[in-house]
Amino acid sequence: GAGVSQSPSNKVTEKGKDVELRCDPISGHTALYWYRQSLGQGLEFLIYFQGNSAPDKSGLPSDRFSAERTGGSVSTLTIQRTQQEDSAVYLCASSPPGLSTDTQYFGPGTRLTVL
Amino acid sequence: GQSLEQPSEVTAVEGAIVQINCTYQTSGFYGLSWYQQHDGGAPTFLSYNGLDGLEETGRFSSFLSRSDSYGYLLLQELQMKDSASYFCAVKGGYSTLTFGKGTMLLVSP
């Protein structure tokens, strides 16, 4: 079946602009996660959704970052007034309910470049 | 908070065995996972240990010792395609994962 998809695959924006990144999780997956990965670095957790609610948004680096999920499916990560340090690959992952291994299935990511 | 330590780089030759270690400090622990990421690709799940001991999946095995806050990923019969970054990750609360910075494995002929 279809995996996690993200759009756009690449986004170049100017400092100060707002951007929206989209994630379509695997159908039936109730959990959805956003991560950020800078060049050569590990994955930095941003936010976790269970259904449409976000019980853990502790990783959002500032109030310029927000995310929502609607219909228990699609999620949008919004970065307002982008800064150069926001440049990174933004990865989305989803996982099905009741999986003991908590396996997360990742999308291909959106590469954000802030000029 | 949570922190994980793993070597930044490991090199090996085709056919060899390599072990990638991971030590962690966590406020809550529910399991240790391993993910593989090829350059420019998405991370993919390799293995999970919820209890102490060894889990084997084909050429890959993973080990956990909760008393030592330590685990490792063992890759056998290395192939060129195994060249990638390998991340250990700890599950804390809310099913969220905290990832290590990753170990780049370079396999040479």
Side-chain angles (χ1 to χ4, degrees):
Chain A
V4 177
S5 61
Q6 294 185 245
S7 60
S9 55
N10 280 283
K11 177 70 176 180
V12 180
T13 190
E14 294 179 346
K15 178 181 172 182
K17 301 279 190 182
D18 297 352
V19 295
E20 282 190 354
L21 312 179
R22 177 188 169 107
C23 172
D24 280 272
I26 295 172
S27 177
H29 282 198
T30 54
L32 186 147
Y33 312 81
W34 283 98
Y35 295 90
R36 178 168 70 174
Q37 186 174 33
S38 300
L39 188 64
Q41 297 297 308
L43 283 74
E44 176 189 2
F45 167 76
L46 297 178
I47 188 169
Y48 157 63
F49 286 93
Q50 182 61 245
N52 291 335
S53 64
D56 188 353
K57 53 179 76 172
S58 61
L60 294 177
S62 75
D63 58 8
R64 295 187 295 106
F65 287 72
S66 63
E68 65 174 12
R69 188 179 186 195
T70 56
S73 181
V74 171
S75 177
T76 303
L77 177 69
T78 301
I79 309 173
Q80 296 179 307
R81 305 181 303 280
T82 52
Q83 303 293 312
Q84 289 183 330
E85 60 262 28
D86 299 335
S87 296
V89 176
Y90 288 81
L91 290 159
C92 173
S94 68
S95 60
L99 193 64
S100 63
T101 61
D102 290 317
T103 303
Q104 295 186 13
Y105 298 83
F106 283 82
T110 293
R111 182 174 298 277
L112 175 65
T113 303
V114 182
L115 302 177
Chain B
Q2 329 245 51
S3 67
L4 296 91
E5 294 287 334
Q6 52 180 129
S8 59
E9 187 175 305
V10 173
T11 59
V13 296
E14 271 189 303
I17 300 172
V18 72
Q19 179 174 312
I20 300 174
N21 298 320
C22 174
T23 57
Y24 58 87
Q25 287 186 308
T26 63
S27 54
F29 178 82
Y30 299 93
L32 183 71
S33 300
W34 290 91
Y35 285 76
Q36 178 192 60
Q37 185 180 31
H38 286 98
D39 193 29
T44 56
F45 172 81
L46 287 179
S47 185
Y48 172 82
N49 294 74
L51 301 173
D52 290 352
L54 192 68
E55 293 286 339
E56 297 180 77
T57 309
R59 295 187 296 114
F60 295 177
S61 303
S62 59
F63 172 82
L64 174 66
S65 169
R66 288 174 295 173
S67 60
D68 295 322
S69 297
Y70 163 76
Y72 65 71
L73 179 70
L74 190 74
L75 299 87
Q76 304 182 72
E77 300 171 21
L78 281 174
Q79 302 175 10
M80 296 293 290
K81 68 179 182 179
D82 297 329
S83 291
S85 290
Y86 293 83
F87 296 88
C88 58
V90 167
K91 177 189 172 186
Y94 289 125
S95 294
T96 58
L97 293 178
T98 300
F99 284 81
K101 294 188 182 300
T103 298
M104 183 178 295
L105 171 63
L106 301 172
V107 181
S108 57

